[in-house]
Amino acid sequence: MAAIIDFLNTIFWGYILIYGLLAVGVYFTLRLGFIQIRHFPEFIRTVLKAPQSDRGGISPFQALCTSLASRVGTGNMTGVAVALFLGGPGAIFWMWVVAVIGMATAYAESTLAQLYKMRDQNGQLRGGPAFYISKGLKAPWAGAVFSLALILAFGLVFNAVQANSIAGAMEGAFGIDTNVTGLVIMALAAIVIFGGIKKIARFAEIVVPFMAVLYLLVALYVIFVNIDEVPAAFALIFKSAFGIEQAAGGVLGAMLNGIKRGLFSNEAGMGSAPNIAAVATPNPHHPSSQGMVQSLGVFIDTILICTATALMILLSGALGNGQTGITLTQTAVTTHIGSAGQYFVAVAIFFFAFTSIIGNYSYAENALTYLKWANKPGIFILRILALAMIPWGAYESVAMVFNVADAAMGLMATINLIAIMMLSGTVVKLTKDYFAQLKTHTPVFNSDDYPEVRDDIDLTVWDEKPQK
């Protein structure tokens, strides 16, 4: 099993994705005219606009929080530490690169998810890569393969990854047995997961902003106290990224680990966030607006939260002491704020990773809808399997869990990147339409302007305008 996983990771991360992710991100950045930089203020406005109601949707802010619930997890605390340990400070620079160009990729995939969304038998909005692969590319078989990979990755494996980090942090800070932690997390997750998509969105809307702001405040305190050393920390990141200053892993190691852990954290191009982006009722009522919301999520995840973790580690001097993962992050924060540091990190990783489990499950349930297995028995089985992975992950070794996650993520990302490249013309047309309308009035999607997709989209979603 380990040999198969290692082989898949070599193919995905050694050949396909390390070039594919950068290439696709650069392609959309150029073709969309650096949308993530030129129109960044509009990204923020789309999140802050008053929500519109829809009988089967959630608000853009809830969609952002739910996607952040999945994004902001072990990648921000454990993953950053692993990237620094394996690739040196230069890995952080490549995480930034992946994030900035990944914002364009995230915009493209979530815009497509919005366009091709539909209502299920219960009136709930559903969508995501499987839907735009099936309808936009006329390849339902590929949509099915993607859905199965997503259920494996997000419904099962990634829950084990998150549980592993929580258990390790709780054992290190409070001495709690990993098996006990796994069972407690499973019980708490069951309460939220069995409430359905809307309950998950409401939970994320409350918890995610609170935990993100609290974590950033601690990081800002650390930066303020060590303000004289901050320029040197940034200089080290840039020097190590280009081999000017020798660091662990060299330039290639920094690039590889930065890209891998960067994607794992912000998920741009992976095809995960579009699943919840499709469930949102956008304001303005246009697919592009929700693409902007999810692009902003990549910025928050990596440029803000991952950088906060990296600076706390670099400013502590703990890098190079032989520690990695959540243990390194705990040591760094303890250096800055005393013995309370290890407890703060344990609590932070609990909330970060727990909300990731909740967000991840919401993606898997969406994929189940595409496969037409989202009946009561199907959803019940998915929930039981997803919950069962939590205690397994809490007990399993870090290396094994991360390797399985990388393989599943690689398969998903490969399929999704091919799909959004083939549908890039539609993304460009939607983007031009949005900003052309914005010059004179609030953009509104008009299906009559898109005869090439009218037969493939759910007109009841787009032609029946929601009310404020």
Side-chain angles (χ1 to χ4, degrees), residues 24 41 92 124 137 145 154 164 210 215 231 261 263 274 319 377 399 439:
V24 172
I92 305 306
Q124 171 72 53
L137 298 180
V145 172
F154 283 84
N164 187 278
F210 170 77
Y215 189 72
R261 296 272 70 85
L263 174 65
L319 184 64
K439 292 177 181 178

Side-chain angles (χ1 to χ4, degrees), residues 85-153:
F85 176 77
L86 296 176
I92 305 306
F93 172 83
W94 294 107
M95 289 184 76
W96 293 338
V97 171
V98 167
V100 172
I101 65 173
M103 288 175 70
T105 309
Y107 165 81
E109 61 183 355
S110 290
T111 296
L112 288 169
Q114 268 286 306
L115 178 65
Y116 288 99
K117 67 184 178 182
M118 46 79 73
R119 294 190 193 279
D120 64 15
Q121 64 272 23
N122 300 315
Q124 171 72 53
L125 292 175
R126 300 285 189 178
F131 293 81
Y132 58 70
I133 289 169
S134 174
K135 297 177 181 180
L137 298 180
K138 305 295 190 294
W141 64 270
V145 172
F146 179 89
S147 295
L148 290 171
L150 187 145
I151 291 171
L152 172 63

Side-chain angles (χ1 to χ4, degrees), residues 302-465:
T302 306
I303 305 299
L304 296 184
I305 300 177
C306 284
T307 301
T309 300
L311 286 176
M312 286 194 288
I313 292 174
L314 292 175
L315 292 171
S316 71
L319 184 64
N321 64 4
Q323 293 178 323
T324 187
I326 195 63
T327 307
L328 175 57
T329 305
Q330 282 182 308
T331 298
V333 178
T334 299
T335 301
H336 294 299
I337 65 174
S339 58
Q342 63 175 331
Y343 305 117
F344 171 76
V345 172
V347 173
I349 198 67
F350 174 84
F351 281 108
F352 277 29
F354 181 75
T355 53
S356 287
I357 291 172
I358 303 304
N360 290 347
Y361 169 78
S362 71
Y363 297 163
E365 187 174 303
N366 208 46
L368 207 67
T369 301
Y370 174 81
L371 295 170
K372 296 182 169 50
W373 296 344
N375 48 30
K376 288 185 177 180
I379 290 177
F380 180 78
I381 292 172
L382 174 65
R383 287 171 177 172
I384 294 301
L385 291 175
L387 293 170
M389 292 297 289
I390 295 172
W392 175 79
Y395 173 78
E396 189 55 74
S397 69
V398 175
M400 178 61 177
V401 173
F402 263 108
N403 284 340
V404 173
D406 283 341
M409 179 172 62
L411 176 60
M412 278 183 56
T414 300
I415 296 172
N416 186 57
L417 290 175
I418 293 171
I420 62 176
M421 284 295 290
M422 294 179 71
L423 293 169
S424 61
T426 301
V427 176
V428 173
K429 182 175 179 178
L430 285 165
T431 306
K432 289 180 177 178
D433 178 36
Y434 182 94
F435 287 106
Q437 291 188 56
L438 188 63
K439 292 177 181 178
T440 57
H441 60 273
T442 301
V444 176
F445 178 77
N446 185 350
S447 60
D448 291 335
D449 296 332
Y450 295 83
E452 69 274 19
V453 301
R454 269 185 66 89
D455 293 338
D456 300 316
I457 63 176
D458 189 338
L459 296 177
T460 66
V461 172
W462 290 111
D463 290 350
E464 294 177 8
K465 304 296 187 294

Side-chain angles (χ1 to χ4, degrees), residues 66 69 159 184-208 350-351 353-362 365 379 383 386-387 390:
T66 306
N159 285 348
V184 170
I185 299 168
M186 181 176 69
L188 292 174
I191 296 172
V192 181
I193 285 174
F194 274 92
I197 294 290
K198 288 200 171 184
K199 186 171 183 179
I200 290 172
R202 286 194 295 270
F203 176 83
E205 184 180 27
I206 296 170
V207 176
V208 172
F350 174 84
F351 281 108
F354 181 75
T355 53
S356 287
I357 291 172
I358 303 304
N360 290 347
Y361 169 78
S362 71
E365 187 174 303
I379 290 177
R383 287 171 177 172
L387 293 170
I390 295 172

